[in-house]
Amino acid sequence: SKLHPLTGRCVLGSAGCKTDVDQLRSVLDIKMKVYAHNHRKPMATPSVAQMLGNTLYYKRFFPYYSFNVLAGIDSEGKGAVYSYDAIGSFERTPFSASGSGQSFLIPLMDNVISHKNRLDERRDLPAEEVVEIVKDAFLTAGERDIYTGDAVDIMVITKDGIDKQTFQLKAD
């Protein structure tokens, strides 16, 4: 899977070279265990975001070939999404995408989630509706991009934990 839970409230999504992604996940898992052992609590999502940025930056001269999106819940209980480049530069965004289907997903999310270039009233979207939007977005990407896989794993992060579901994109 391209998704990797780091805590009960934080998930890492990665695209790129599989071996580099696996190595990065291993390094992050070790750092998370050390933090949990030293502090007796899991790391907060903004702290995980900074740690990931630092970890990537540390390898900037021979970087991990991985392009990451970190999602979780911040200390205020709000959703937090962070987008990264290969050398650790990151920003908090309303949504993000990485990988071969990125060019198909971002414009759709700009329209539906950020309400760019729309005149209708913006409203809060319930989690179930967002999941359906994500499914539709990946169906669209899968039709146009041959490198988008046959299924998408969707993880919904709440204060109670992570709910995972798999949605099949292609039936052929």
Side-chain angles (χ1 to χ4, degrees):
S1 174
K2 294 186 183 271
L3 300 178
H4 181 71
L6 293 172
T7 70
R9 301 174 72 169
C10 185
V11 174
L12 175 68
S14 302
C17 177
K18 175 80 167 102
T19 55
D20 283 358
V21 168
D22 289 345
Q23 179 63 30
L24 176 62
R25 287 178 178 179
S26 177
V27 167
L28 294 175
D29 285 343
I30 291 167
K31 289 182 177 188
M32 299 296 289
K33 286 178 185 172
V34 168
Y35 182 92
H37 177 75
N38 289 340
H39 299 277
R40 295 191 174 107
K41 65 179 182 177
M43 193 179 293
T45 299
S47 300
V48 175
Q50 186 64 56
M51 180 193 66
L52 175 55
N54 292 349
T55 303
L56 293 169
Y57 186 74
Y58 175 74
K59 294 271 294 172
R60 69 190 174 280
F61 297 117
F62 190 61
Y64 295 111
Y65 188 77
S66 69
F67 303 93
N68 302 286
V69 175
L70 183 77
I73 297 178
D74 65 13
S75 58
E76 299 172 5
K78 295 183 179 179
V81 177
Y82 299 89
S83 182
Y84 294 81
D85 68 4
I87 58 169
S89 178
F90 70 99
E91 67 177 332
R92 187 169 176 171
T93 59
F95 60 86
S96 187
S98 186
S100 63
Q102 176 180 1
S103 60
F104 299 106
L105 297 173
I106 295 292
L108 180 63
M109 295 298 146
D110 277 339
N111 186 2
V112 177
I113 303 296
S114 293
H115 254 57
K116 290 186 179 176
N117 301 317
R118 291 182 63 165
L119 300 175
D120 57 329
E121 184 177 329
R122 186 175 184 169
R123 61 187 178 85
D124 288 336
L125 300 172
E128 298 79 20
E129 189 173 346
V130 173
V131 167
E132 292 304 315
I133 291 168
V134 169
K135 288 177 181 178
D136 287 343
F138 272 93
L139 279 171
T140 301
E143 288 297 321
R144 295 286 182 175
D145 175 38
I146 62 170
Y147 301 110
T148 296
D150 295 336
V152 60
D153 289 331
I154 299 172
M155 291 189 177
V156 178
I157 307 166
T158 65
K159 63 178 172 44
D160 300 321
I162 300 169
D163 176 41
K164 180 181 177 183
Q165 53 185 286
T166 301
F167 180 68
Q168 296 299 319
L169 299 176
K170 299 173 184 165
D172 54 354

